[in-house]
Amino acid sequence: MAENRARRIAKLIAPLRVEPGTKVTLAKDFDPAYKAGFLNKKDGEELLQGGVELLVEYQARLAAQDTWGMLVCLQALDAGGKDGAIRHVLSGINPQGVHVSGFKVPSAEELNHDYLWRYAQRLPGRGEIGIFNRSHYEEVLVVRVHPEILDRQNLPAAAKGKGVWERRYQEINDWEHYLSDNGFKVVKLFLNLSREQQRIRFLKRVDLPDKNWKFSANDAKERAYWDDYQKAFSEMLSNTSTPWAPWYVIPADHKWFARICISGVLAHTLMDIDPQYPKVDAAKLKELAETRVLLEAEAPAGAEPDPFAASLAAEAAKAEAKKHGGSNGDDPGL
Ligand code: AMP
Ligand code: MG
């Protein structure tokens, strides 16, 4: 059953993975409107619910084991659906185990440091999931499309001259390699939206009063740089999908499908880590048994010494009776 689920997830996400070393041309290689043929929206909703439950379980184990952390980098064009995906995919997860960090135009203090500095400040700890809503990849995306931003980064001449993007790809790959060697899995998701869907979503933000706040006229102006962004995305995918931190291109035109894919990639990564609840040793077991005796002795007169154990025993007896065909009156249909 669990293996079956793992296989289904692996099959779903395999076509989305950018094989390390391949050259990507986004428009040719990935369709923003793709939805796996073996899925319809209704099956998809069930699958998303299953995926969300799986994430809840694995996140609890990740936190308990306290050895691995997971960094999820979300990149997209405006209106790609990052915010909604975070809300849906992470619903139900213990908020103590997850930190979401958004990255906007860098502050003066941030510009006063190396370009990876502000991202390093926000890395997850062991046992935690960190979500980057935009990430260090902005440094080879918006900064590449608008080279005047690079000029504002106070860099020495050699660091912004010829070969700057190749160098940044290498530095980012090295940084992620270092993180993964040290117990932090880096998961990279690019939400691939079509130009027409972006237009429609922008219009929705213009038309609906409670969406107006999300819209800035500048977002629409950025559409003039569409081809430059497509090229920057393609280069980023070609140069920074690595065996230790591969990119997944999430088809983003259908939000329901995008969310299933995202939860699939996260579940797949967590299954790969396979975090376990820590084993309790003999000394700890002895301590627990002694504590039980002490607490049972404190039961008030007439109270069950251990009400929790009693309810567990009752559950077990009920299950046993059901197994042997006996009816307990609770399940008239069985
Ligand atoms: P939003 O996430 O829609 O609120 O917008 C954040 C804005 O910050 C976007 O226009 C990004 O392109 C911009 N941004 C994010 N990171 C950087 C960066 N490193 N340098 C310049 N602009 C950035
Ligand atoms: Mg925006």
Side-chain angles (χ1 to χ4, degrees), residues 78 82 103-106 118-119 134 138-139 142-143 149:
D78 276 311
K82 292 185 275 88
F103 296 98
K104 307 207 177 246
V105 177
R118 67 171 179 161
Y119 309 98
R134 300 185 189 271
E138 291 293 335
E139 305 295 336
V142 69
V143 183
I149 298 178

Side-chain angles (χ1 to χ4, degrees), residues 72-207:
V72 182
C73 302
L74 277 174
Q75 284 297 151
L77 278 164
D78 276 311
K82 292 185 275 88
D83 296 358
I86 292 171
R87 211 165 51 237
H88 281 82
V89 173
L90 298 182
S91 61
I93 285 198
N94 180 353
Q96 292 203 78
V98 186
H99 303 279
V100 183
S101 306
F103 296 98
K104 307 207 177 246
V105 177
S107 67
E109 192 196 6
E110 288 168 344
L111 287 174
N112 201 30
H113 292 82
D114 64 277
Y115 71 90
L116 289 176
W117 182 78
R118 67 171 179 161
Y119 309 98
Q121 312 284 306
R122 301 294 178 138
L123 288 172
R126 299 194 191 281
E128 292 175 351
I129 297 176
I131 311 280
F132 281 3
N133 184 346
R134 300 185 189 271
S135 68
H136 47 295
Y137 283 98
E138 291 293 335
E139 305 295 336
V140 292
L141 292 172
V142 69
V143 183
R144 183 168 189 171
V145 171
H146 298 287
E148 66 277 13
I149 298 178
L150 194 63
D151 288 335
R152 285 202 295 270
Q153 290 192 343
N154 307 323
L155 294 157
K160 59 181 174 184
K162 197 164 170 303
V164 52
W165 309 116
E166 286 67 26
R167 206 168 44 245
R168 284 196 172 193
Y169 295 140
Q170 187 63 47
E171 288 158 354
I172 288 173
N173 288 342
D174 290 346
W175 188 55
E176 292 175 357
H177 203 177
Y178 161 80
L179 290 174
S180 85
D181 278 351
N182 282 277
F184 298 92
K185 288 261 182 193
V186 184
V187 181
K188 303 186 302 205
L189 304 166
F190 169 63
L191 277 57
N192 188 26
L193 186 70
S194 70
R195 191 172 160 87
E196 176 57 6
Q197 263 303 313
Q198 191 193 51
R199 188 180 75 90
I200 295 169
R201 290 185 192 176
F202 278 170
L203 280 169
K204 190 170 167 190
R205 291 179 181 183
V206 171
D207 292 341

Side-chain angles (χ1 to χ4, degrees), residues 213-234:
W213 66 273
K214 261 200 154 182
F215 186 74
S216 117
N218 203 43
D219 292 350
K221 287 200 193 113
E222 279 299 279
R223 280 168 67 79
Y225 299 92
W226 184 271
D227 291 343
D228 296 340
Y229 273 107
Q230 294 292 305
K231 184 162 177 285
F233 288 134
S234 298

